[in-house]
Amino acid sequence: MITSFEASLSQLSVHKVGNKLQDQYLALSEAPLLLHDEMLKNLLQQYFLKSFEKVDEVYRLHHSSGDLGLNEIYHFAKQCFADDRRFHELSQQITRHLYDSSTHPKIKAGEVYIALFEQVQIEGQLHQAIGIFKSENKETYLKVYPDAGGFALSYEQEAINIHKLDKGCLIINCEEAEGYKVVVIDQSLKGQDTAVYWKDDFLQLKIRNDRFNQTQNYLGIYKNFVNEQLDDEFKLSKPDKIDLLNKSMQYFKEKDTFDLNVFNQEVIGNDSAAQSFKMLLKQHDETLDSDLSNGFPISAQAVKKQNNSFKSVLKLDKNFHVYIHGDRQLIEQGFDEVKGMNYYTLYFKQES
């Protein structure tokens, strides 16, 4: 999605933001950072941009009122793109907004880096971009160096690992009226209390309704439908669930576009279950203002990403794992009344 080999770091300002709720301080630098060391500049660029090369999701800046101009980050980014001579002043405003958004007691203090890049490539096109990055976690590093015919050791505390970007976003200078293209990094674990403030409170993002997110959202909805809702309505066995998930993944790997009617016939294959899923999809479309029911082009990247979460393994106590990849008819389930245990019968032509 993002490639940075042509990118260049043109301006950089560094500030520090604490937790406002804990009465920690906000420290704003008076001037941008001047980088004369090319090695340092390259290391910073690697630290800021490398992690985004694996990011596929694209977001938009938005505001709950529907007035995009009320989104603070959109307001500051638009001014900066219009006149980059105001870059440092606007970096201070962005950092103040981050401080005002840091109101959960568990949000960590850290350095904030606001950067202006040229020639950042996204989806095959080069654009100017504003980067906002925050380092929250520090590490200790050992140094080994020659000394008196041997070697000596020293250490450095409170250092930053340039291979681990804690939080970051790139606001790409294109599609301004739609809220720009925005890509995000947030290493907060899902379920943590602080996991939402970066995307929701500070940036105020919504997912872009493109083929990647349409494909990913649909597969996520279908997986939950098979694993949860179908159980309540049809009492499916575990092999039947795995078979439905395998068929859906095969459909998405083979097709270029998604068609709900074809999917229902080729994958679900049951009119009652298909109708139930159609209603679930309609509810999702109405709630999130999406249009999955009417079809969409399939994203191979999203299919590859979701494939890892579509489990095809049948776990039997702690003794066996059976991987089901093919014909569901070649596995049968029964119950041994003498042993009082369930069993499966597998049919195959040869083992390898």
Side-chain angles (χ1 to χ4, degrees), residues 65-160:
S65 69
D67 185 350
L68 186 55
L70 295 178
N71 180 301
E72 289 87 343
I73 298 301
Y74 176 83
H75 174 72
F76 298 137
K78 185 176 180 179
Q79 291 184 69
C80 185
F81 287 136
D83 183 4
D84 61 18
R85 292 173 298 180
R86 299 183 58 201
F87 170 79
H88 183 71
E89 169 206 342
L90 292 166
S91 79
Q92 294 175 326
Q93 297 291 340
I94 290 171
T95 306
R96 284 194 185 95
H97 174 55
L98 177 58
Y99 181 68
D100 290 337
S101 302
S102 302
T103 55
H104 191 282
K106 293 183 180 180
I107 293 174
K108 297 178 181 179
E111 293 78 23
V112 178
Y113 310 84
I114 315 292
L116 185 64
F117 297 97
E118 309 294 336
Q119 302 290 93
V120 173
Q121 184 178 125
I122 180 170
E123 297 175 338
Q125 295 183 327
L126 297 172
H127 297 282
Q128 192 179 43
I130 295 170
I132 307 172
F133 315 98
K134 186 184 178 191
S135 59
E136 296 180 333
N137 300 297
K138 304 298 191 296
E139 299 182 6
T140 300
Y141 290 103
L142 294 175
K143 292 182 179 180
V144 183
Y145 54 91
D147 182 63
F151 293 91
L153 283 170
S154 66
Y155 65 91
E156 183 173 347
Q157 293 180 305
E158 295 294 302
I160 296 171

Side-chain angles (χ1 to χ4, degrees), residues 109-299:
E111 293 78 23
V112 178
Y113 310 84
I114 315 292
L116 185 64
F117 297 97
E118 309 294 336
Q119 302 290 93
V120 173
Q121 184 178 125
I122 180 170
E123 297 175 338
Q125 295 183 327
L126 297 172
H127 297 282
Q128 192 179 43
I130 295 170
I132 307 172
F133 315 98
K134 186 184 178 191
S135 59
E136 296 180 333
N137 300 297
K138 304 298 191 296
E139 299 182 6
T140 300
Y141 290 103
L142 294 175
K143 292 182 179 180
V144 183
Y145 54 91
D147 182 63
F151 293 91
L153 283 170
S154 66
Y155 65 91
E156 183 173 347
Q157 293 180 305
E158 295 294 302
I160 296 171
N161 187 336
I162 65 169
H163 301 293
K164 294 181 181 179
L165 179 63
D166 293 323
K167 286 179 170 59
C169 79
L170 287 174
I171 303 167
I172 312 298
N173 189 11
C174 65
E175 301 178 8
E176 174 191 306
E178 287 77 41
Y180 297 112
K181 292 180 182 179
V182 183
V183 287
V184 181
I185 296 286
D186 187 355
Q187 299 298 347
S188 299
L189 296 176
K190 291 182 178 179
Q192 284 187 345
D193 294 335
T194 60
V196 299
Y197 95 95
W198 183 255
K199 289 182 181 178
D200 295 350
D201 300 335
F202 171 54
L203 295 170
Q204 299 180 76
L205 298 175
K206 68 175 182 179
I207 202 75
R208 185 181 70 168
N209 193 29
D210 58 15
R211 66 167 61 196
F212 179 90
N213 290 302
Q214 288 173 323
T215 304
Q216 181 168 256
N217 288 342
Y218 181 90
L219 286 171
I221 295 167
Y222 179 73
K223 183 175 71 172
N224 290 335
F225 172 73
V226 171
N227 288 331
E228 298 173 14
Q229 186 167 328
L230 274 182
D231 240 4
D232 298 334
E233 298 179 10
F234 297 95
K235 303 297 181 184
L236 291 181
S237 67
K238 184 66 175 180
D240 287 330
K241 291 182 182 179
I242 293 174
D243 184 52
L244 283 171
L245 293 177
N246 284 343
K247 285 181 178 178
S248 68
M249 190 54 61
Q250 193 63 34
Y251 174 94
F252 274 82
K253 288 179 178 178
E254 293 177 352
K255 308 289 186 181
D256 294 323
T257 57
F258 170 78
D259 183 288
L260 181 59
N261 292 327
V262 175
F263 183 86
N264 286 339
Q265 293 173 3
E266 296 184 3
V267 177
I268 297 180
N270 178 286
D271 290 342
S272 179
Q275 185 62 30
S276 179
F277 181 64
K278 190 174 182 179
M279 292 300 297
L280 177 65
L281 204 59
K282 183 179 179 181
Q283 292 173 9
H284 176 274
D285 283 347
E286 292 174 352
T287 302
L288 297 181
D289 192 24
S290 61
D291 197 22
L292 298 179
S293 300
N294 290 327
F296 51 87
I298 292 173
S299 164

